[in-house]
Amino acid sequence: MDLQQTIQQLINGLGLGSIYALIALGYTMVYGVLRFINFAHSDVLMLGAFAALFLAPLVEKAFGPQSVFGAIMIIVFAAGICACIGMLIEFLAYRPLRKRPKLTVLITAIGVSLFIEFTCQNKAVFGAATRSFPKLLPEKQFHFGNLVIGSTDILVPLVTLLLLGVMWVIVQKTRVGTAMRAVSFNQQAASLMGVPVNRIISFTFGLGSALAAIAGILYSMKAPGIEPLMGVQPGLRAFIAAVVGGIGNLPGAVIGGLLIGLLETFAGGIPGLSSYRDAIAFGILILILLFKPAGLLGRATIEKV
Amino acid sequence: MKIRTFALPALVASIAALGLTNCKQGGGDTIKVGEFASLTGKEATFGTSSHEGTLLAIEEINAAGGVLGKQLELLTEDNQSKAGESTNAVNKLISKDGVVAILGEVASSRSFEAAPVCRDNSIPMISPASTNPSVTEVGDFIFRACFTDPFQGAALANFATGELKATQVAMLTDVKSDYSKGLAKFFKEKFLANGGTLVTELDYNGGDKEFKAQLTTIKNSNPQAVFVPGYYTDVALIARQAKDLGLNVPLFGGDGWESNVLLDIGKEAMNGHYFSTHCAADQGTPKMTAFVESYKKRFNGKTPDAMAVLGYDSAMLLADAMKRAGTTEGPKLRDAIAATKDFEGVSGKFSLNENRDAVKALVFIKIEDGQFRYTATVNP
């Protein structure tokens, strides 16, 4: 592998890694507050992509094709829809089980995930066939000698960084963030101190699902074929990323995502290794769990988020 | 111990046979034909096309008076393009519904799953479009109405060195698919024999969305063309990302490419690429022209693809064999199918060889201006 190829793979890997990072942010956020993995997160990602698919023609009519403002509108609306879906899932599936053992909730989360996937594969909903995702923004490839950087490869890391910043501000600097940290620290004590626990948990789910929707749209811009099972593979990688980075830790999720994305890309470009990308992702997970169970940035403390 | 291990399957088989005869007697005045297909899931357009072709054939046969004085009844099971589901589907069709023959499937991996069940129950199975050689190797009850990958792979290798004048080729294979791996193997054998060099061989997992890692390495190895023996959903994304990376050489592949979804998703990135397939709607033979017309009439103006044609041909082949056999009993029906010679299918005239594979021509298609264009026919 020469230098030029290495740099190209670095660019590819960062593009992919920031998508994983964005999804991992949502996983880690919900885990931070509720201490359980919301497996339906990757399906909300898919719903975000489909929301954008159906919104795109409407927005295009109003603002013309491939306008920046139109794209932002689509993302905001899709994120809003998915935030509502996320809160609904929490209300219907997780809230009734809140006092039960965490394992019950975890199993329910897997059930919710399968329910969404198979409902959406029904012909009456989206159908199982792969659909073409519309172009939301004009795409451009920048060539530097032999190197190619696509506009989405630049856009995705920027959005991820921006959202990481926004999340950090929300969690650390706002009243609602203080409440989230309080709920994560001790639900019962928080409610005794007047924190509306249900509303805070709803808000967390809404925020996490909005992140998933944005990730889904960016993912579909990179790979414009979408189907009801599209969330499974990136969802799994992002879950690994969240654990590797230290689950519950926001910057950890981003670092974990980038790490998995980069490793996967470099492995993918090497003959003989390219079919072991899943094995590599899981190998990292196992190594981390063996040697640094709290994750790269995780500390073995109780307070997280 | 030995007796027991023998006795148990024999017992199971005899019970199954009892169940079967019961079903047949209770079946009444229709002949039940089973079909399993990927009607939903990753390869849904393949399954839907072959199912529509099969359905059209059964309807036409029934309209013309049926077979052996009875109407045909098509029972279809969906395996959702998933590994493991086909065995269940075929088991149900045979033991519960009591079908006399099985049609399906397009994907080789899933035909391969169902084939042992059909063989063990002495029920003939005709795959419309599974090209992997291992499918019919399962046993003498398993047939196919299409050519095999050794033939397709060799034709693609000759196409690469002949038409494309490409001796430096990169290859990108789907490791999850028997079809892709098989085609890659036979292509490689012939291509190397033709004096070509494979500059790099990389893999992906079917269903991946991100191929830039592999494509970057491929671009760096400076190939004159890239062989991608995959399925359309993956190929479309590969073509787009190849274009994004500035990899401007022709991609080419096999019949797994053929679906309108390829053009839907791949858009202008598909132009200038080639694939081989069983037949083309614009190839101009009278039987094909007539089929295209009746298919369009039946399915809202949809143009049939090769999978629809093969679905149709496999059902017609079965009906023809039933007429010749004069019965729907498994072993006699099997012998009649095996004896098929010079069958006039929509996809062309073909005979079944001693391996129960159809020996027939293939066509090459070039993608231009977002359309499939017939370019050449290659005879076996």
Side-chain angles (χ1 to χ4, degrees):
Chain A
M1 212 186 308
D2 58 19
L3 183 69
Q4 181 259 328
Q5 193 182 350
T6 311
I7 296 173
Q8 181 71 57
Q9 294 291 38
L10 209 61
I11 295 165
N12 299 339
L14 283 176
L16 185 64
S18 13
I19 294 269
Y20 291 160
L22 202 52
I23 309 168
L25 271 181
Y27 270 116
T28 236
M29 186 122 175
V30 167
Y31 182 88
V33 172
L34 278 178
R35 295 280 184 276
F36 93 97
I37 303 288
N38 176 22
F39 279 107
H41 191 69
S42 57
D43 302 296
V44 176
L45 172 149
M46 174 271 292
L47 291 173
F50 272 92
L53 174 77
F54 292 116
L55 284 169
L58 303 176
V59 170
E60 206 164 276
K61 231 180 255 168
F63 301 104
Q66 298 177 18
S67 64
V68 175
F69 186 68
I72 293 174
M73 291 296 282
I74 291 173
I75 290 179
V76 168
F77 274 121
I81 293 170
C82 286
C84 295
I85 294 172
M87 288 192 269
L88 193 70
I89 292 173
E90 191 273 328
F91 182 74
L92 292 176
Y94 304 147
R95 188 171 297 182
L97 301 173
R98 197 167 297 153
K99 298 277 185 299
R100 303 281 180 81
K102 286 284 176 276
L103 189 64
T104 319
V105 192
L106 203 69
I107 293 166
T108 310
I110 295 173
V112 170
S113 165
L114 291 173
F115 176 77
I116 297 176
E117 281 164 21
F118 286 90
T119 312
C120 292
Q121 281 189 70
N122 192 302
K123 270 213 173 87
V125 190
F126 302 146
T130 308
R131 298 205 198 181
S132 174
F133 191 76
K135 261 190 188 171
L136 302 183
L137 286 172
E139 278 166 32
K140 217 176 138 34
Q141 317 296 334
F142 302 99
H143 293 260
F144 302 96
N146 254 332
L147 287 180
V148 186
I149 305 179
S151 47
T152 40
D153 287 335
I154 302 171
L155 182 71
V156 176
L158 286 181
V159 173
T160 303
L161 273 181
L162 179 78
L163 288 173
L164 172 67
V166 171
M167 288 305 125
W168 191 82
V169 169
I170 289 178
V171 171
Q172 299 294 336
K173 302 281 170 194
T174 62
R175 278 175 66 89
V176 83
T178 315
M180 281 162 76
R181 281 181 290 148
V183 170
S184 124
F185 191 68
N186 187 330
Q187 266 185 37
Q188 225 167 2
S191 81
L192 287 175
M193 299 310 285
V195 174
V197 174
N198 279 339
R199 274 202 351 241
I200 294 301
I201 290 175
S202 258
F203 177 78
T204 312
F205 263 87
L207 209 58
S209 302
L211 284 176
I214 298 170
I217 294 171
L218 292 174
Y219 190 58
S220 311
M221 284 167 77
K222 277 175 74 75
I226 64 173
E227 28 93 22
L229 296 180
M230 64 177 275
V232 177
Q233 197 254 21
L236 201 60
R237 303 287 160 84
F239 163 66
I240 296 175
V243 177
V244 166
I247 191 143
N249 184 307
L250 293 177
V254 173
I255 289 173
L258 291 178
L259 187 72
I260 299 279
L262 282 171
L263 276 168
E264 194 183 308
T265 305
F266 277 100
I270 299 169
L273 261 187
S274 49
S275 55
Y276 289 96
R277 299 208 282 179
D278 286 310
I280 288 166
F282 281 102
I284 297 167
L285 178 68
I286 292 166
L287 286 179
I288 286 286
L289 290 177
L290 278 177
F291 295 109
K292 209 165 181 318
L296 291 176
L297 293 195
R299 270 163 293 156
T301 51
I302 308 160
E303 193 187 300
K304 278 178 184 167
V305 171
Chain B
M1 205 53 209
K2 216 171 200 173
I3 296 167
R4 236 185 243 168
T5 44
F6 266 104
L8 193 63
L11 190 69
V12 172
S14 53
I15 292 171
L18 263 173
L20 265 179
T21 35
N22 282 342
C23 285
K24 258 183 229 162
Q25 280 158 358
D29 40 305
T30 60
I31 297 174
K32 288 183 178 169
V33 174
E35 184 201 14
F36 68 109
S38 310
L39 296 180
T40 55
K42 220 155 42 73
E43 274 91 57
T45 75
F46 281 163
T48 314
S49 286
S50 72
H51 170 65
E52 285 173 354
T54 310
L55 193 64
L56 185 64
I58 300 279
E59 285 172 1
E60 283 182 11
I61 293 164
N62 285 340
V67 178
L68 308 177
K70 290 182 180 179
Q71 294 277 295
L72 293 182
E73 186 184 347
L74 184 69
L75 301 165
T76 307
E77 289 287 322
D78 177 16
N79 59 23
Q80 304 167 342
S81 313
K82 269 198 268 171
E85 289 293 326
S86 301
T87 321
N88 299 341
V90 171
N91 260 322
K92 186 206 162 241
L93 285 169
I94 294 175
S95 53
K96 188 159 168 284
D97 299 328
V99 299
V100 300
I102 296 278
L103 297 171
E105 141 75 275
V106 171
S108 296
S109 310
R110 291 187 281 279
S111 290
F112 191 60
E113 270 179 36
V117 182
C118 294
R119 177 198 58 199
D120 295 347
N121 285 292
S122 300
I123 296 286
M125 165 179 152
I126 305 178
S127 162
S130 291
T131 49
N132 191 301
S134 62
V135 172
T136 49
E137 282 164 14
V138 167
D140 59 358
F141 276 88
I142 316 301
F143 302 88
R144 78 177 102 223
C146 58
F147 52 67
T148 57
D149 283 335
F151 171 58
Q152 184 172 218
L156 280 160
N158 291 338
F159 176 78
T161 43
E163 301 287 318
L164 292 178
K165 309 240 176 302
T167 48
Q168 309 275 316
V169 167
M171 187 157 86
L172 187 55
T173 317
D174 175 0
V175 281
K176 266 194 190 164
S177 141
D178 292 345
Y179 161 75
S180 185
K181 284 188 285 185
L183 198 51
K185 178 174 155 242
F186 299 115
F187 170 81
K188 188 177 171 180
E189 278 169 14
K190 183 72 181 169
F191 183 67
L192 296 182
N194 283 356
T197 322
L198 282 174
V199 288
T200 179
E201 290 172 63
L202 289 168
D203 302 318
Y204 67 93
N205 284 311
D208 278 358
K209 306 277 181 201
E210 183 69 33
F211 302 95
K212 281 194 176 160
Q214 290 93 327
L215 292 168
T216 297
T217 305
I218 287 175
K219 186 186 168 195
N220 239 41
S221 63
N222 289 319
Q224 292 161 321
V226 185
F227 181 51
V228 191
Y231 286 125
Y232 56 90
T233 40
D234 301 326
V235 172
L237 292 178
I238 289 171
R240 279 185 81 139
Q241 290 172 9
K243 189 164 179 257
D244 285 352
L245 282 174
L247 177 67
N248 297 318
V249 295
L251 308 183
F252 65 106
D255 56 330
W257 284 35
E258 184 170 348
S259 164
N260 285 322
V261 176
L262 183 79
L263 301 174
D264 269 1
I265 297 174
K267 300 248 159 50
E268 64 276 6
M270 293 313 307
N271 289 337
H273 302 325
Y274 301 83
F275 64 95
S276 62
T277 187
H278 308 270
C279 53
D282 60 344
Q283 71 188 22
T285 55
K287 258 199 117 119
M288 176 62 87
T289 315
F291 174 75
V292 171
E293 204 170 295
S294 53
Y295 186 89
K296 277 187 171 169
K297 210 184 278 170
R298 176 68 177 80
F299 299 107
N300 306 323
K302 197 170 145 190
T303 307
D305 53 20
M307 303 304 151
V309 174
L310 290 174
Y312 182 88
D313 278 358
S314 61
M316 284 297 186
L317 176 65
L318 177 65
D320 177 66
M322 278 179 187
K323 278 179 203 159
R324 280 187 282 116
T327 170
T328 54
E329 260 173 60
K332 285 190 183 148
L333 190 53
R334 171 200 59 192
D335 295 341
I337 301 173
T340 304
K341 285 276 166 296
D342 296 329
F343 178 79
E344 292 278 355
V346 172
S347 56
K349 193 164 148 180
F350 63 88
S351 303
L352 293 184
N353 66 9
E354 69 282 4
N355 300 322
R356 298 167 300 282
D357 302 327
V359 179
K360 61 204 288 194
L362 63 69
V363 298
F364 273 96
I365 286 182
K366 182 179 188 186
I367 304 164
E368 274 177 328
D369 308 323
Q371 275 184 328
F372 293 152
R373 291 212 205 289
Y374 165 75
T375 50
T377 301
V378 178
N379 287 309

